[in-house]
Amino acid sequence: MREACRMTAEIRDICASAVAPGVTTGEIDDLVVQYCSKHGVKASFYGYQGFPGHLCVSINDEVIHGIPKRERIIMPGDLVKTDVGIFKNGFNGDTSRTVAIGVSDPEVLRLVETTKACLAAGIAACGPGVHLGDVGYAIEKVALEAGFGVVRDWIGHGVGRTVHEDPQVPNYGKPGTKLVLKPGMTLAIEPMITMTKMGEKTDVLADGWTVVTRDRSLSAHFEHTVAITDDGCEVLTLPADYP
């Protein structure tokens, strides 16, 4: 898991760094193809339940599962979410970042920073003996106190030998409820936070994949894969240069 997640973090940051006005989401997809070819690994999402891309690139009101396309051009002011996984030696990593391209609106930037804070709060809550409801509550508390919405239709999950495993990891919850975490569990913690409360409700576009906020408000998404340890948790998808 550590090795798969290290590579997942590496390609996540390569893709995020390539996000710029004029770049197509198809070109971002090419970076994943090139990385996998160079390192002899597989993109976890490609072909998973029929998904046609090597990563998900979701823009603005698109929450998750955006399909990369040659004709989709990234524009100034876009909120671009790159979500990617690498499969190596029988294990998967899963991680996501949101990049704000030329965004000056302080509320949009606050949404991005709040979503980061939600992820940090969820990770900080993880550890042996902790209930999943505690993790969800920690995430939700940060979002609601900031005045934003929390997507409930789509949630985090276990990850390991397959992309999605039990348990489900909601970004909301009540303390002391749900499954108790144990050492050895590996989870994808991934808050999906929306600019409006109405944005908590989502729809799937006609492509059968792209999830959008029902009111078409902006959303942000950050994700790490974490391992529950004997005394807390280890973030497996930190950047290689993280201190």
Side-chain angles (χ1 to χ4, degrees):
M1 281 294 292
R2 284 194 181 97
E3 182 63 11
C5 286
R6 180 193 67 78
M7 300 185 81
T8 302
E10 185 172 52
I11 187 58
R12 173 203 61 212
D13 292 342
I14 290 170
C15 291
S17 296
V19 171
V23 174
T24 69
T25 58
E27 289 173 308
I28 303 297
D29 192 75
D30 289 342
L31 294 174
V32 182
V33 175
Q34 293 161 13
Y35 183 91
C36 290
S37 177
K38 177 180 178 180
H39 294 283
V41 294
K42 295 181 179 180
S44 299
F45 301 168
Y46 184 63
Y48 180 72
Q49 296 184 355
F51 187 72
H54 295 83
L55 83 164
C56 303
V57 187
S58 309
I59 299 178
N60 296 332
D61 62 331
E62 298 169 357
V63 180
I64 49 173
H65 302 165
I67 300 172
K69 298 176 182 177
R70 298 288 173 193
E71 65 272 18
R72 185 71 186 275
I73 300 172
I74 296 168
M75 303 295 290
D78 280 344
L79 273 189
V80 182
K81 289 137 277 186
T82 54
D83 187 356
V84 65
I86 291 294
F87 180 74
K88 181 177 182 179
N89 295 335
F91 293 95
N92 294 274
D94 194 356
T95 185
S96 176
R97 280 181 59 182
T98 297
V99 180
I101 300 299
V103 174
S104 58
D105 186 332
E107 275 299 284
V108 178
L109 296 175
R110 195 170 69 89
L111 172 67
V112 174
E113 291 305 312
T114 297
T115 309
K116 286 183 186 177
C118 287
L119 176 59
I123 291 170
C126 286
V130 172
H131 291 261
L132 276 175
D134 300 323
V135 178
Y137 175 79
I139 293 169
E140 182 181 31
K141 184 174 185 289
V142 172
L144 296 186
E145 287 181 351
F148 296 125
V150 179
V151 171
R152 294 171 177 267
D153 299 337
W154 303 88
I155 58 179
H157 51 89
V159 57
R161 293 189 182 277
T162 62
V163 177
H164 291 101
E165 299 178 349
D166 289 333
Q168 296 185 336
V169 186
N171 296 308
Y172 54 89
K174 294 181 179 180
T177 65
K178 305 293 185 180
L179 181 75
V180 175
L181 299 180
K182 298 179 180 180
M185 289 181 173
T186 47
L187 310 171
I189 310 292
E190 52 174 322
M192 292 158 259
I193 308 303
T194 59
M195 185 67 80
T196 70
K197 288 288 290 179
M198 283 295 295
E200 291 182 344
K201 297 186 180 298
T202 63
D203 294 313
V204 178
L205 297 184
D207 63 20
W209 284 102
T210 307
V211 177
V212 297
T213 55
R214 186 164 297 174
D215 66 355
R216 299 303 190 264
S217 61
L218 295 175
S219 70
H221 177 211
F222 285 90
E223 176 183 19
H224 274 310
T225 298
V226 304
I228 306 303
T229 63
D230 290 334
D231 57 359
C233 74
E234 176 184 348
V235 182
L236 302 179
T237 47
L238 288 174
D241 58 354
Y242 191 82

